[in-house]
Amino acid sequence: MNVYRQPALFPLVVGLLYYLGAWIGVHYAALESGIVVLWPPNAVLLAALLSQPRSRWWSLFIVVMAAEVAADISVFSLFHALLFGTINIAECVLAASLIRWFLDRNLDWSEPKDLSLFLITVFFIASPLAALGGASIYFFLLERDTPFLTLWRLWWVGDATGLIILTPFLHMIFSSGLLKQAVNSNWRVRLELVAAWIISLLVCYLIFVFDLASEDYLALSPLAVVVAPTWVAVRFGPFAGYPLATAVAMFVALASASGVGPFVGEQQDHSALLTQEFIIIFNVLLLFVAAFVDQNHRKSGELKKALVKVQHLNQELEERVQQRTQELFDANQQLQTLALTDELTGIPNRRRMRVLGEEEARRSERSGRPFSVMLMDIDHFKQVNDRHGHAVGDECLKAFVRAISPSLRSIDRFGRWGGEEFMIVVPDSDHVDLLRLSEKVLECTRDIVVDVDDQKVGITVSIGVAEWHHATFDKLVSEADDALYRAKAKGRDRVDINLRGLRVTD
């Protein structure tokens, strides 16, 4: 359970922290002259206002006013304490309202734009305006001898310093961001953070308490306290760097207020301003370094994710293109096959047989080895269709293809030339007994029987053969067609052969 999210407990926690901050500001963060190096409690209220909805602000105002009176009553009157509380509350309300109005969302300390808005609002608007009220109380009501502008400047910078170094840290805690980061870190990260904290606090002690910031120890100048917090901010981001920066800034402020360290001089107002300037510059630089580094890491991470996504999309696109290309290729192959295949019998059609025949003609021209064309026509096929129907005729055609195909060589090309006409292209026909092959086709055809109801339908075929003799494929087909005509004229169911332009009959 997070107490900062509980409506009843959260205001009490804020009130206690505000009182603690005011007590530290009065007793430990002020010089002997009463000049406050930084004022911590306003950061508590501003961080609470930035992390809570406006509907819960009134409960915060009540507990903060009570804490202000409790912290001031030993030094100021009740009237003056109420005035101081009103000024502090108004300062925080103005800053929180402006930040929320410009952002219209939650403040993100890892965004340089949000950080710039916070710094401008706090340092140049809310704090100087509140300082006018605080300086007026000291100058006109408490009748201090310090010039009004000096009082205004000290109040302005003191409030701004406290807000700048503590608000980010407290807002992260109130928003649970810092706690999540600490819980999610592994032991190596925790070990490195512990080492950074030890080194930072040791350097702070050596410079501001042990007083090694002299000409004999130039390496241990006040700037040395910047190293470890900056390293942590760059390595682990704002959520790890801000707490350490806050601790270092508080150490510097409290040490200077105690009268030790390189910023303490004879004039206490100058000592306070020098300390405040160092703390503000240190924290502002670290805040921006951490924000820009974190933004760079986030943008790099987003870019890497985008590149990975683009690579996956490209790969997916390539796979889809390959798939579509393969599908298109298969479809084209299928279309080409359909365009060159007889739909009824599944063997090459006239177009395909013409391509194969022309290829054989060209090959024979190159090699000088002949090929032959066997043109076949089923006898009296029209009568089969007229008597038994086209379905029976189709079955006769398919039965003819099934009967003839096994008797052919693998290099022979068997196709449907059209209607009941079929063609066989016989490569290297000088090695083939064309008359015997034709007789085999005739015998296979005579054995075909197609069952039609209670009848059996048989078929025969007439064959015309022509062998290449340096003629074109069309000329060879014409000669085979003439031979087929002669075979039909002789009574069908026979073959007529034209060998190299010479007729040979059975």
Side-chain angles (χ1 to χ4, degrees):
M1 181 181 68
N2 190 347
V3 296
Y4 306 124
R5 294 294 184 183
Q6 303 302 313
L9 296 179
F10 185 75
L12 297 178
V13 173
V14 171
L16 291 175
L17 291 176
Y18 188 94
Y19 176 81
L20 179 62
W23 186 76
I24 292 175
V26 172
H27 296 87
Y28 292 98
L31 299 174
E32 295 180 359
S33 60
I35 298 174
V36 178
V37 176
L38 81 161
W39 184 245
N42 288 6
V44 176
L45 178 57
L46 179 57
L49 296 178
L50 291 174
S51 63
Q52 296 293 303
R54 286 186 173 86
S55 59
R56 299 180 185 177
W57 282 11
W58 289 105
S59 59
L60 298 176
F61 299 156
I62 295 173
V63 296
V64 163
M65 183 63 75
E68 180 73 34
V69 172
D72 294 348
I73 198 67
S74 61
V75 181
F76 302 100
S77 67
L78 177 61
F79 175 70
H80 293 148
L82 291 174
L83 289 178
F84 286 140
T86 301
I87 293 173
N88 290 335
I89 292 174
E91 176 183 7
C92 295
V93 169
L94 175 61
S97 299
L98 288 175
I99 291 172
R100 287 198 165 190
W101 184 75
F102 278 106
L103 287 181
D104 195 26
R105 57 175 172 78
N106 292 329
L107 182 64
D108 186 356
W109 298 103
S110 60
E111 283 291 341
K113 181 179 67 174
D114 294 15
L115 186 57
S116 300
L117 174 63
F118 165 75
L119 293 174
I120 292 173
T121 302
V122 166
F123 193 83
F124 294 104
I125 299 177
S127 294
L129 289 178
L132 291 176
S136 298
I137 295 175
Y138 274 106
F139 188 78
F140 294 109
L141 297 182
L142 298 178
E143 297 180 353
R144 295 292 175 88
D145 295 334
T146 307
F148 181 84
L149 289 179
T150 301
L151 293 172
W152 172 74
R153 182 186 60 184
L154 293 173
W155 185 293
W156 168 22
V157 180
D159 272 17
T161 303
L163 291 172
I164 289 173
I165 70 171
L166 287 171
T167 303
F169 170 69
L170 293 172
H171 182 255
M172 290 176 195
I173 290 184
F174 292 160
S175 302
S176 301
L178 182 64
L179 297 178
K180 290 181 180 179
Q181 289 286 330
V183 170
N184 294 334
S185 60
N186 56 47
W187 67 270
R188 289 188 179 88
V189 174
R190 296 174 185 175
L191 183 62
E192 189 170 344
L193 290 176
V194 170
W197 275 77
I198 294 174
I199 292 173
S200 295
L201 296 178
L202 179 61
V203 171
C204 288
Y205 177 81
L206 293 175
I207 294 175
F208 288 91
V209 178
F210 205 66
D211 198 19
L212 289 184
S214 64
E215 295 181 357
D216 296 332
Y217 303 96
L218 292 178
L220 292 176
S221 67
L223 291 177
V225 303
V226 179
V227 176
T230 304
W231 168 259
V232 171
V234 171
R235 281 274 291 152
F236 306 112
F239 294 102
Y242 291 173
L244 183 54
T246 301
V248 170
M250 289 296 295
F251 195 108
V252 172
L254 296 178
S256 298
S258 301
V260 294
F263 300 134
V264 177
E266 295 181 359
Q267 296 183 342
Q268 294 195 3
D269 57 340
H270 290 172
S271 300
L273 288 175
L274 187 60
T275 303
Q276 292 165 343
E277 289 175 359
F278 175 81
I279 292 174
I280 290 175
I281 293 174
F282 159 64
N283 276 269
V284 169
L285 288 177
L286 188 135
L287 289 172
F288 274 108
V289 167
F292 278 115
V293 170
D294 186 75
Q295 184 185 62
N296 182 62
H297 288 165
R298 285 186 284 111
K299 297 297 182 182
S300 298
E302 293 173 1
L303 180 60
K304 289 180 180 178
K305 291 181 180 179
L307 290 176
V308 171
K309 186 176 181 179
V310 169
Q311 291 175 353
H312 288 165
L313 291 176
N314 285 338
Q315 183 177 358
E316 183 178 348
L317 180 60
E318 290 178 0
E319 292 175 353
R320 288 184 178 180
V321 170
Q322 291 177 357
Q323 181 181 358
R324 293 293 183 268
T325 303
Q326 185 63 41
E327 291 175 355
L328 181 60
F329 176 79
D330 295 340
N332 288 334
Q333 289 292 103
Q334 185 176 6
L335 288 175
Q336 186 176 2
T337 301
L338 292 174
L340 300 176
T341 303
D342 179 60
E343 183 178 359
L344 176 64
T345 61
I347 61 176
N349 60 12
R350 184 188 187 101
R351 181 184 301 174
R352 179 59 176 164
M353 292 305 295
R354 178 175 293 280
V355 172
L356 295 174
E358 291 175 349
E359 289 178 353
E360 284 298 323
R362 289 192 294 270
R363 188 184 65 81
S364 293
E365 285 289 347
R366 293 192 301 269
S367 65
R369 302 184 64 176
F371 75 100
S372 298
V373 172
M374 297 177 62
L375 197 60
M376 300 165 289
D377 186 272
I378 297 177
D379 299 327
H380 304 297
F381 187 73
K382 184 176 183 302
Q383 295 178 10
V384 174
N385 281 335
D386 292 343
R387 182 178 301 174
H388 302 287
H390 288 280
V392 174
D394 290 344
E395 286 299 321
C396 291
L397 295 177
K398 291 189 283 186
F400 176 75
V401 171
R402 291 194 297 267
I404 301 304
S405 296
S407 62
L408 302 177
R409 299 175 302 170
S410 61
I411 62 173
D412 296 335
R413 299 291 182 259
F414 180 33
R416 187 179 180 184
W417 192 245
E420 67 272 19
E421 285 189 333
F422 293 84
M423 177 185 287
I424 301 175
V425 176
V426 185
D428 299 331
S429 58
D430 55 341
H431 294 160
V432 178
D433 187 340
L434 296 175
L435 182 59
R436 184 177 179 183
L437 176 60
S438 300
E439 289 293 342
K440 189 175 182 180
V441 171
L442 292 172
E443 292 175 4
C444 290
T445 306
R446 295 184 191 114
D447 293 336
I448 295 174
V449 177
V450 177
D451 294 328
V452 180
D453 296 331
D454 295 333
Q455 302 179 9
K456 294 184 181 296
V457 178
I459 59 174
T460 60
V461 67
S462 299
I463 304 173
V465 182
E467 189 176 33
W468 177 81
H469 51 92
H470 298 283
T472 63
F473 175 71
D474 288 337
K475 175 64 176 174
L476 207 59
V477 172
S478 179
E479 293 178 359
D481 189 58
D482 291 341
L484 175 62
Y485 178 79
R486 290 191 295 270
K488 284 183 174 289
K490 292 177 181 180
R492 296 180 169 82
D493 190 21
R494 66 187 62 237
V495 61
D496 188 278
I497 302 177
N498 188 343
L499 294 177
R500 304 190 181 216
L502 301 177
R503 290 179 56 198
V504 178
T505 59
D506 58 340

